Amino acid sequence: GLLRRIGLKAPVVFNFLGGEIDFRLNYFSRSLINRLDAALTGTEYSVRQCRGIGLNARLIRHGIVRDFKAEYSAAETSPRQRILFWRDPTLANGADLCITAFDRLAPAYPDLCFSFAIRPHVDEVPGLDELARRHANVQVHRFPYEDGITLPRLIAESLVVVLPFRALSVNPQFAVAESVVAGVPVITTNIGSNPEVITHGSGGLLIAPGEAEPVEEGLRQLLDDRDRLQEMGRNAAAEFAVKWNWDSYVTDMLEVYENAANGD
């Protein structure tokens, strides 16, 4: 918008994939937004966000960037026996809720491994290493991972991925999308665009944010019915593939660019 304001003749197309928009825009910010020629976004949630600041965004759904299932051979995969949290270990990502839930569930399911795959982070929640010392079936893998451990392998060995976000940094949240494409059901929070990725009860569970009890209850519900859990994994991948793929993405993007270039 600023480039158009200072005389740029070429049209400007804005692609919004971020988390939350601050609606408290001042007059100058709104005047810049009004100079954009087109706006794109990948979720209905983000479409509504853009409309809230006066952007009439077009919805163009995309696929995933990383296919964990393709990266890890089925022949190498151990039986699924893992409960996995994989994100930065922060409050925003709900790592503390997983610590509480895993602490309660690890003794009740000694045949399962409760795993954290994380990157070092300045805002890491406390208690991860203490939890692993307290329970033999709790593991903390910090990147760079030890020999033989990769994220594709961890996901391939997972019964369920747990991602109790308090906030989303991007819509759709790629950690959710990439997990379901790998055929793993996800327990995540009913916020942002998550309901567009997860069908509650079919491809995973949507829970309220900010509390450990729904995480624990959701896990117990799924772990006590392993047949349903496997079915949910299949459903999750199939449901995602219907709406989210790269089949028409380039065509749709070119249409937007051509319309903007023609002043439509």
Side-chain angles (χ1 to χ4, degrees), residues 105-117:
L105 292 172
Y109 298 90
D111 60 317
L112 300 180
C113 183
F114 295 80
S115 301
F116 293 86

Side-chain angles (χ1 to χ4, degrees), residues 7 29 59 73 81 101 113 119 123-125 140 154 175-176 185 207 213 223 252-253:
S29 296
L59 175 66
S73 170
Q81 55 182 9
C113 183
R119 296 177 295 190
D123 293 322
E124 179 176 320
V125 298
V140 178
L154 292 174
V176 177
I207 60 175
E213 284 73 16
L223 294 178
D252 292 343
M253 291 281 283

Side-chain angles (χ1 to χ4, degrees), residues 20-200:
E20 299 294 327
I21 294 178
D22 188 347
F23 293 103
R24 299 167 297 178
L25 299 179
N26 57 33
Y27 173 80
F28 181 69
S29 296
R30 289 190 179 277
S31 71
L32 296 183
I33 287 171
N34 290 334
R35 292 178 181 271
L36 297 174
D37 296 275
L40 312 173
T41 191
T43 65
E44 294 172 2
Y45 176 79
S46 295
V47 167
R48 295 192 295 271
Q49 291 269 295
C50 288
R51 287 175 180 168
I53 58 172
L55 273 175
N56 186 23
R58 173 169 172 175
L59 175 66
I60 300 180
R61 295 194 189 277
H62 52 79
I64 60 165
V65 174
R66 190 169 183 185
D67 186 344
F68 290 117
K69 193 172 184 179
E71 288 184 37
Y72 197 73
S73 170
E76 301 173 309
T77 306
S78 301
R80 292 181 182 265
Q81 55 182 9
R82 194 179 301 278
I83 315 303
L84 180 65
F85 170 92
W86 68 279
R87 288 297 291 167
D88 291 334
T90 63
L91 287 173
N93 290 335
D96 59 313
L97 306 180
C98 283
I99 289 175
T100 300
F102 289 7
D103 192 25
R104 297 170 181 170
L105 292 172
Y109 298 90
D111 60 317
L112 300 180
C113 183
F114 295 80
S115 301
F116 293 86
I118 61 176
R119 296 177 295 190
H121 198 281
V122 65
D123 293 322
E124 179 176 320
V125 298
L128 281 167
D129 295 322
E130 293 81 359
L131 180 68
R133 286 193 290 267
R134 194 156 54 245
H135 302 288
N137 59 336
V138 172
Q139 298 176 344
V140 178
H141 304 287
R142 285 186 171 84
F143 189 84
Y145 306 126
E146 57 269 35
D147 289 344
I149 298 297
T150 65
L151 189 54
R153 174 184 171 181
L154 292 174
I155 291 176
E157 295 175 353
S158 292
L159 286 165
V160 59
V161 164
V162 188
L163 299 168
F165 295 107
R166 288 184 172 90
L168 302 184
S169 59
V170 65
N171 286 286
Q173 175 50 248
F174 295 127
V176 177
E178 290 168 349
S179 296
V180 300
V181 167
V184 184
V186 176
I187 298 176
T188 191
T189 43
N190 188 18
I191 62 172
S193 60
N194 281 345
E196 298 177 52
V197 182
I198 297 292
T199 301
H200 179 70

